[in-house]
């Protein structure tokens, strides 16, 4: 049975990229927040968590 070659690049996911610009102060605040977490997530992961928390609270307020 022939070996499967690994594909180069990111694995496919069911996501879409979102590009935003932020002022340096906001980026610094995000980095400061990241460093308070035990696992120190990447900036994108920190943003996903922040947005998920915001959206959960927003949904609860609008139910």
């Amino acid at each position: 049975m022939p070996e499967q070659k690994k594909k180069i690049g990111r694995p496919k996911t069911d996501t879409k990229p979102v590009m935003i610009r932020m002022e340096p102060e906001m980026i610094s605040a995000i980095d400061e927040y990241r460093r308070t977490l035990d696992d120190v997530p990447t900036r994108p992961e920190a943003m996903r968590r922040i947005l998920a928390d915001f959206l959960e609270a927003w949904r609860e307020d609008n139910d």
Side-chain angles (χ1 to χ4, degrees):
M1 190 166 180
E3 281 188 45
Q4 298 249 345
K5 290 187 178 182
K6 288 187 177 185
K7 293 184 179 181
I8 297 175
R10 294 183 68 120
K12 289 186 179 185
T13 60
D14 188 23
T15 62
K16 294 180 182 180
V18 177
M19 303 297 288
I20 61 171
R21 292 184 183 272
M22 289 188 254
E23 294 178 355
E25 295 81 12
M26 185 175 284
I27 294 171
S28 293
I30 291 166
D31 288 343
E32 186 177 331
Y33 165 73
R34 292 171 47 220
R35 288 190 289 274
T36 68
L37 302 175
D38 291 334
D39 60 345
V40 188
T42 62
R43 272 188 196 151
E45 178 59 22
M47 291 301 305
R48 282 189 285 273
R49 292 179 190 182
I50 292 166
L51 286 170
D53 289 346
F54 170 82
L55 291 172
E56 182 179 336
W58 178 77
R59 285 185 193 113
E60 288 173 1
D61 289 346
N62 290 295
D63 280 341

